[in-house]
Amino acid sequence: MINRSLVYRKSAKGAEAIANRQSGLAPKLRSVLIMVDGKKTGEDLFKVCTMLGDAQALLAELVAGELIEPVAASGGGAAAAPVAAPVAAGGSPVAAAPASGFGPATQPGPSLAEAKRLAIRLLKDALGPLADDTCIAVESSKDIEQYTAAVKKAYAFIRNVRGGEAAARFGQEIEARFPVV
């Protein structure tokens, strides 16, 4: 069971599963795992993942498989540690994200418009003219759900055209600058 008030990040095992396309991770789980960035709370992830099906079950499977883990607290605020860093032994306390919903209040995420501009730039860098239709889909997204669906399709398209490494770079950039929900 995922705690919706805790901030989650990829564990070392989760980072390896993203890097290795042959990990056997189901496509829906892989999509959810890509969105875990050490800034989103369980509630944020739940909201973004509902379009993929049973969000609670998907997130619980990632926790049970030790692919994601809560971020350890540091000085009362949520600390976004590197992806491969382990959680402190002994069950360190974990901070909840602020009411705004996206990581520490001092570091808000970009707006949807800024996130769309970034995604389009990354798509053009990765695919050149092949990105035109995908860029239109990203640009025409009206809310976070449509944006998420568009960048997931873009990720799959990059993976098919340029390979897993290029797709992983795209996914990491998108994930690091995911818009405020």
Side-chain angles (χ1 to χ4, degrees), residues 41 44 47 97-109 180-181:
T41 63
D44 297 332
K47 287 176 185 175
S100 66
F102 192 92
T106 58
Q107 297 178 343
V180 175
V181 178

Side-chain angles (χ1 to χ4, degrees), residues 99-122:
S100 66
F102 192 92
T106 58
Q107 297 178 343
S111 67
L112 181 58
E114 292 168 329
K116 289 193 302 189
R117 283 191 295 273
L118 170 69
I120 289 167
R121 181 181 56 78
L122 294 171

Side-chain angles (χ1 to χ4, degrees), residues 142-159:
K142 293 182 174 93
D143 56 31
I144 193 69
E145 288 80 19
Q146 289 178 0
Y147 171 78
T148 302
V151 295
K152 284 181 184 179
K153 288 178 182 177
Y155 176 88
F157 187 48
I158 292 171
R159 186 181 64 227

Side-chain angles (χ1 to χ4, degrees), residues 120-135:
I120 289 167
R121 181 181 56 78
L122 294 171
L123 277 163
K124 288 180 179 179
D125 289 349
L127 299 170
L130 291 175
D132 289 347
D133 290 340
T134 309
C135 288

Side-chain angles (χ1 to χ4, degrees), residues 1-5 8 41-42 45-46 55-56 59-60 63 68:
M1 189 92 154
I2 190 164
N3 184 329
R4 292 189 186 190
S5 66
Y8 286 86
T41 63
L45 293 168
F46 187 86
Q56 185 66 34
L59 292 167
V63 170
I68 64 173

